[in-house]
Amino acid sequence: MIKLTNKVTLRHLQAFATLAGTNSFSKAAEELSVTQPALSASIKQLENQLGTKLFDRTTHQIGLTAQGALVLEYATHLLNTASNTFNDIRHVIGTGRHRIRIGAIPSAVTLTAAVIARYNEAHDEHVEILLSDMPNDALLSSLHTGKLDFCVGIKPPDSLSLDTVTLFEDELVLIVSRKHPLSESKEVHWRQMAGEEIVMFAQGSVWEFASAALLQHGLAASRRYQVVHSESLYGVVRAGIAIGIMPSLYTSYLRDDSLHVAPLRFPTLKRKIVLMRRNEVSRSEWTDHCFQELRNDLKQANHWF
């Protein structure tokens, strides 16, 4: 058993995280295949070792204390890291290849995959890269909880716990059908979209990013057409029933003569795309090597478009 202090083990943290997730001693005990007294003893031992109360208990309910909520983030990260480590040990013994988990926001997946392909060509016999796409909030959560080694996404306001490398800036652009009058414009001002049905992603960082600019110019996103995927947005725009707003990253590899892409101006809205990982000293040699190599390639990626 891995010791965290003289007496605290991963088993204690697993009991704590499971109870925090179920808010029920009976459910947590069943999930862990232990008795309720044994679970209670584990929680009490952990609280004694940490010197703080982790749960507020009443006759009918249980919930995390403020200190418990803080501890949960670290416990979850350690448990995920430990689980990944044990799985990766088995994997490297069986295959000789080290696993590296990378995440990316959907708009950056094509670009990230292209860079990973270049890395694979040189190091495939030593490394197996797992790539996942998810919204930026989910990326940050997965990074903090240890499910990802690093990710490509949007830099959060509070990034003190992260090692971030700015890769490039990604601006919002307009997508219109070639039959639309605005398709003749090399750039479009926000005010030129007045009276148009404007479609953009109905959730995620892009919605928040663009909504303020729409409001500033008396514009609003379409209520008639709701999309969450890029191809859905393209389909609505191709049909000529709306014009679209999306980050330029989505359009970098777009090859469609029926669509016209134009930068949006006054204002020009840009978001910083960064490579992120947790500020930690201990990392595997291959994980650090991959981070450095992808950082260099991704910083040059805007020249590939």
Side-chain angles (χ1 to χ4, degrees):
M1 179 63 66
I2 297 175
K3 294 286 183 73
L4 303 175
T5 70
N6 289 334
K7 295 183 179 179
V8 176
T9 67
L10 289 178
R11 184 171 297 165
H12 289 103
L13 294 182
Q14 185 65 65
F16 164 64
T18 303
L19 182 57
T22 60
N23 289 323
S24 165
F25 273 96
S26 60
K27 291 180 181 178
E30 181 179 358
E31 187 171 324
L32 293 167
S33 298
V34 299
T35 64
Q36 289 190 47
L39 175 60
S40 296
S42 290
I43 298 300
K44 189 63 177 177
Q45 289 168 6
L46 181 59
E47 289 179 327
N48 289 339
Q49 285 296 307
L50 297 179
T52 189
K53 189 178 180 182
L54 299 174
F55 292 95
D56 283 322
R57 305 169 179 83
T58 67
T59 305
H60 301 292
Q61 61 184 19
I62 180 173
L64 285 170
T65 63
Q67 293 298 316
L70 294 175
V71 172
L72 181 61
E73 179 181 346
Y74 291 93
T76 302
H77 175 258
L78 182 55
L79 289 167
N80 284 332
T81 300
S83 177
N84 288 341
T85 299
F86 295 144
N87 289 334
D88 292 347
I89 288 172
R90 288 192 289 268
H91 182 77
V92 76
I93 289 174
T95 67
R97 301 167 77 204
H98 301 267
R99 273 183 175 160
I100 300 173
R101 296 167 175 82
I102 302 174
I105 52 175
S107 58
V109 167
T110 299
L111 188 60
T112 304
V115 172
I116 287 174
R118 289 159 59 92
Y119 189 84
N120 283 343
E121 287 179 9
H123 307 292
D124 189 58
E125 63 180 299
H126 301 293
V127 173
E128 177 181 275
I129 295 179
L130 309 181
L131 176 63
S132 305
D133 77 317
M134 57 189 79
N136 202 63
D137 287 346
L139 274 184
L140 294 170
S141 175
S142 295
L143 197 61
H144 283 299
T145 57
K147 292 181 180 179
L148 294 174
D149 294 304
F150 47 89
C151 64
V152 179
I154 305 162
K155 185 176 181 178
D158 180 11
S159 57
L160 294 179
S161 63
L162 299 175
D163 175 14
T164 64
V165 179
T166 299
L167 302 172
F168 47 81
E169 293 185 322
D170 181 29
E171 69 178 24
L172 290 182
V173 297
L174 180 71
I175 315 289
V176 296
S177 166
R178 284 288 182 185
K179 298 178 182 179
H180 194 282
L182 288 176
S183 66
E184 301 298 324
S185 304
K186 291 185 178 180
E187 62 179 37
V188 175
H189 298 185
W190 288 78
R191 57 179 171 75
Q192 291 178 262
M193 295 189 289
E196 297 283 354
E197 199 77 28
I198 303 170
V199 63
M200 58 186 192
F201 300 131
Q203 59 190 38
S205 60
V206 177
W207 174 269
E208 299 171 2
F209 191 36
S211 292
L214 288 174
L215 183 62
Q216 180 183 344
H217 291 84
L219 305 172
S222 174
R223 294 184 178 182
R224 299 173 63 189
Y225 310 116
Q226 303 289 311
V227 302
V228 294
H229 300 293
S230 57
E231 191 52 47
S232 300
L233 189 148
Y234 293 146
V236 170
V237 174
R238 284 192 198 99
I241 56 178
I243 60 176
I245 295 175
M246 62 176 9
S248 61
L249 262 180
Y250 277 107
T251 68
S252 300
Y253 296 90
L254 179 63
R255 302 293 181 266
D256 190 332
D257 293 337
S258 68
L259 298 175
H260 173 68
V261 179
L264 282 168
R265 297 289 182 256
F266 300 103
T268 298
L269 295 184
K270 297 181 178 181
R271 57 183 188 168
K272 287 187 177 180
I273 304 299
V274 298
L275 183 63
M276 300 177 277
R277 62 180 175 180
R278 284 177 61 96
N279 282 324
E280 294 174 346
V281 176
S282 86
R283 298 186 183 91
S284 74
E285 179 181 346
W286 276 107
T287 299
D288 190 62
H289 179 269
C290 183
F291 182 88
Q292 302 300 337
E293 290 290 309
L294 265 64
R295 177 196 65 183
N296 295 336
D297 269 1
L298 284 165
K299 288 188 77 169
Q300 299 300 318
N302 58 329
H303 299 303
W304 301 1
F305 296 167

